[in-house]
Amino acid sequence: MTKNLVIVESPAKAKTIEGFLGKEYQVKSCFGHVMDLAKKDLGVDIDNGFLPKYVISPDKKKLVSELKKLANEAETVWLASDEDREGEAIAAHLMEALNISESKSRRIVFHEITKPAILEAIEHPRSIDRDLVNAQQARRVLDRLVGFELSPLLWKKIKPSLSAGRVQSVAVRLIVERESEIKNFQSTSAFRIVGDFIVKNGDKLVPVQAELNKRFHTLDEAEDFLKKCIGAEFVVEDIETKPAKKSPAPPFTTSTLQQEASRKLGFSVANTMRVAQDLYESGKITYMRTDSLNLSNLAIGMAKQEITDSFGPEYVKTRKYTTKSKGAQEAHEAIRPTYMNVQTVEGDKSHKRLYELIWKRAIASQMADAVLEKTTVTIGVSSAKENFVARGELIKFDGFLKLYMESTDEEQSNGDERILPPMKKGDSLVMKQIEAQQKFTQPPPRYTEAMLVKKMEELGIGRPSTYAPTISTIQRRDYVVKEDRPGINRVFQLLTLKDGKITTDEKSEKIGSEKSKLFPTDIGTLVNQFLTDHFMNIMDYNFTATVEEGFDEIAEGKLVWNAMIKEFYNPFHAQISNTLEGTKKVSGEKLLGTDPKSGLNIFVKIGRYGPMVQMGDSDLENKPRFAALKKGQSMDSITLEEALDLFKLPRVIGSIENEDVVVAAGRFGPYIKFQSQFFSLMKSDDPLTVTLERASEIMAEKRKLDSEKTVREFPEDKGLKILKGKYGPYISFNKLNFKIPKGKVAEELTYEECKVIVTDTKPTKSSKSRKSK
DNA sequence: CAGTGAGCGAGCTTCCGCTTGACTT
């Protein structure tokens, strides 16, 4: 039995801290929240001052009883959850769930996992901050009320199982609005003039490129200018040299790590977090879910040493960064290597690459500024009032650039970093050629996952622990898809002046191709339309920031938590009731045209199972026909012809032994049905043209695969089989699956043994019930 | 994994934020 029980949130942290404290201390982890609102109904008693119904989270019951036993045995329980709103609530919930008395418990906090910080914390315990706990409770209750009143409204008004919430709905709105900005974007063009010149540098002739300080709107204007340049003289009119500096980016937070890993390594945010979690658990980096830019003094000291050793003392410049992001709670350090002198790690490629990125960024943040010299050369044209301008940049001292340069989402800048040859006022240049290229304005870019995280952080929506899950949620709900899309070719004009002659060319460039970008789906767009029509207050980009102000006041003891909730809830609930009664079901129905054969109207709309086309009006005597849209089709872009094609299924393509072979489109794509068995078509098969011959091939393949999958069959019972799955053999009995007991060999099981297993043991959970988790 | 889309009605879905394994057919 130990005298002191310390409880932290993360098990990896527990291990480290146990090393800092003596034998008198046992350090355990509670794995985050242990209590939450009851999942059944609202979990909030609205008529009773919004009294929350907290229960021990079902998956934490075992853990809580273990901790309770240890707490009972200990003299003192140290509640060392994170120092933020959620951490304070975790501490309060632990006291309740473990039944720890006020006198036995101590609340301690630390921002960094270093021995001095932990010992310091132990020296200065405090009691639970009830105001902060109430602020968390207000946050939790508000999110529950919003989510559990809005979602059922969507089930009634659009389709079942949809979801809405303070964070996810605004994330979807960002993507829907960006798409509509792109769709409505009016591109304009102008001619950009770039000249290639030669300047004498001693005996050598050196090329210099310069851009005109004016763009022309029309081809004629551009051509007029080029004509003026024929036979003109080009002279250096002015040279300006200015010192400049560049500073390193601060060390990583969750959000900036996700962005850089996306840009530099092409990682999805989920992948970044998975790899970072591994690095954290193996002790390579500090905690990866943080909004803090802070580095411990220990870390800064290690960085200083490492920079001095690797680059020299002149490369050191230690810095303290302060956060600018909205709602940052800064319970942890910034993300950094645990040991700043370790430049790389063992492991697979993605672990190495992410670690090296973290190491470089953290070290560079403590390095000297880069010292630059920026030069601007103005070149006059004897026959025109416009000037050419050449810009150059010279690195006088590289500083942090020796190690690391942050990347940006924008396309690279127009060659500002060139080095110019030495020139002086009055020098004349020889013109080699001048090009006038038609340049088009660009619509705003579509979001990558990481760009969306950046935007959410700017708006204060979501937290480091929820960025990746939120992005998964909106994709899983089919509000948004991450896709590649091919671009289109666009023609542009190019005028070239060379050897005293002007030529005009038409060239083409690929534009608008996208890789791993977020696109709204039809359902996402419709749900967003509905929510912005009726709940603009919740969908407002400032909604979270506004309620956060309320939570802050609660935390400061200036506002009573349920008074704030009441003020929010009463009008919100009235909105829900009004919308429930005052609006019809929405389907986004659109008339596409009429069927030339029957003259019936063709509609496209969202049905219970997603986007579909409908032939015939709903109120007619005859029932309309329906067909689901194919993958890749959208309500917005589908044509009448494509819609009519969808009604061509199901079709009988022939018969085998007097039984029809039918091709149809199902929930999971096109399939063949024969003798009440199903066979999926391949992507390359077109269900409208597939032949009986090809269908036979597909069926034979599937049957072969099935027979390979079967380990054993039993003549006694056709419903009982031993099959080989991805995770080894298992028993299948009337569509239920059972594990094979340890120590048994699948091939040797007898019919009787199998019978015992399927009657005595529980079937494994099907993928359907898992999905609802 | 599967073929739906009227309407009846039961019973189900759903939020955000804090943490990791267990488990998958």
Side-chain angles (χ1 to χ4, degrees), chain A residues 174-197:
Chain A
L174 285 165
I175 294 161
V176 172
E177 284 190 350
R178 176 57 54 89
E179 197 64 24
S180 97
E181 277 175 62
I182 293 168
K183 200 179 146 197
N184 298 326
F185 185 77
Q186 299 287 341
S187 183
T188 59
S189 75
F191 286 82
R192 174 176 182 246
I193 316 284
V194 174
D196 287 318
F197 302 94

Side-chain angles (χ1 to χ4, degrees), chain A residues 33 81 84-94 132-133 136-137:
Chain A
H33 277 293
S81 45
D84 57 19
R85 203 161 64 199
E86 299 297 328
E88 204 66 17
I90 289 174
H93 291 157
L94 281 170
L132 198 51
V133 175
Q136 191 276 346
Q137 189 156 293

Side-chain angles (χ1 to χ4, degrees), chain A residues 709 723-730:
Chain A
K709 218 175 84 177
L723 302 176
K724 197 159 55 184
K726 210 162 60 173
Y727 310 99
Y730 62 99

Side-chain angles (χ1 to χ4, degrees), chain A residues 55 89 107 175 202 249 264 332 360 422 427 439 506 561 761 769:
Chain A
V55 295
R107 170 79 171 119
I175 294 161
K264 284 201 156 120
H332 307 274
K360 282 184 180 172
D427 279 358
K439 288 279 185 186
E506 268 198 355
W561 80 271
T761 61
S769 58

Side-chain angles (χ1 to χ4, degrees), chain A residues 72-214:
Chain A
N72 270 333
E73 292 165 355
E75 263 171 40
T76 307
V77 181
W78 303 81
L79 302 167
S81 45
D82 297 344
E83 185 179 29
D84 57 19
R85 203 161 64 199
E86 299 297 328
E88 204 66 17
I90 289 174
H93 291 157
L94 281 170
M95 280 187 71
E96 192 185 328
L98 309 186
N99 198 17
I100 311 167
S101 70
E102 198 81 44
S103 59
K104 192 169 165 173
S105 69
R106 306 277 187 280
R107 170 79 171 119
I108 52 166
V109 294
F110 35 81
H111 299 265
E112 48 183 67
I113 314 299
T114 56
K115 192 169 180 179
I118 309 296
L119 296 179
E120 169 84 11
I122 295 275
E123 290 297 308
H124 299 98
R126 58 171 174 82
S127 54
I128 301 265
D129 181 343
R130 291 289 156 189
D131 289 330
L132 198 51
V133 175
N134 284 335
Q136 191 276 346
Q137 189 156 293
R139 198 280 304 155
R140 182 67 190 92
V141 167
L142 182 131
D143 282 337
R144 171 57 68 87
L145 292 172
V146 169
F148 275 36
E149 294 214 351
L150 274 184
S151 302
L153 184 66
L154 296 180
W155 305 343
K156 289 205 177 69
K157 297 297 176 183
I158 301 179
K159 70 178 205 115
S161 302
L162 294 174
S163 65
R166 173 176 59 81
V167 172
Q168 60 168 282
S169 297
V170 178
V172 173
R173 182 182 169 201
L174 285 165
I175 294 161
V176 172
E177 284 190 350
R178 176 57 54 89
E179 197 64 24
S180 97
E181 277 175 62
I182 293 168
K183 200 179 146 197
N184 298 326
F185 185 77
Q186 299 287 341
S187 183
T188 59
S189 75
F191 286 82
R192 174 176 182 246
I193 316 284
V194 174
D196 287 318
F197 302 94
I198 304 277
V199 64
K200 241 191 188 160
N201 182 15
D203 292 341
K204 275 190 284 183
L205 297 174
V206 185
V208 176
Q209 199 172 65
E211 183 180 339
L212 198 71
N213 60 357
K214 183 182 172 173

Side-chain angles (χ1 to χ4, degrees), chain A residues 279-341:
Chain A
L279 292 171
Y280 168 66
E281 283 175 13
S282 55
K284 305 293 196 304
I285 61 168
T286 57
Y287 197 57
M288 64 283 155
R289 290 186 277 264
T290 177
D291 50 20
S292 171
L293 299 175
N294 191 50
L295 294 179
S296 69
N297 289 327
L298 184 74
I300 292 177
M302 282 194 281
K304 191 174 172 179
Q305 188 61 48
E306 171 67 14
I307 297 162
T308 308
D309 292 350
S310 296
F311 307 110
E314 70 278 21
Y315 279 90
V316 174
K317 182 179 176 186
T318 60
R319 305 154 197 261
K320 284 269 182 195
Y321 294 90
T322 47
T323 183
K324 272 178 244 136
S325 50
K326 236 181 238 180
Q329 308 212 1
E330 305 205 68
H332 307 274
E333 274 190 81
I335 302 170
R336 64 161 173 93
T338 315
Y339 304 101
M340 304 286 272
N341 57 340

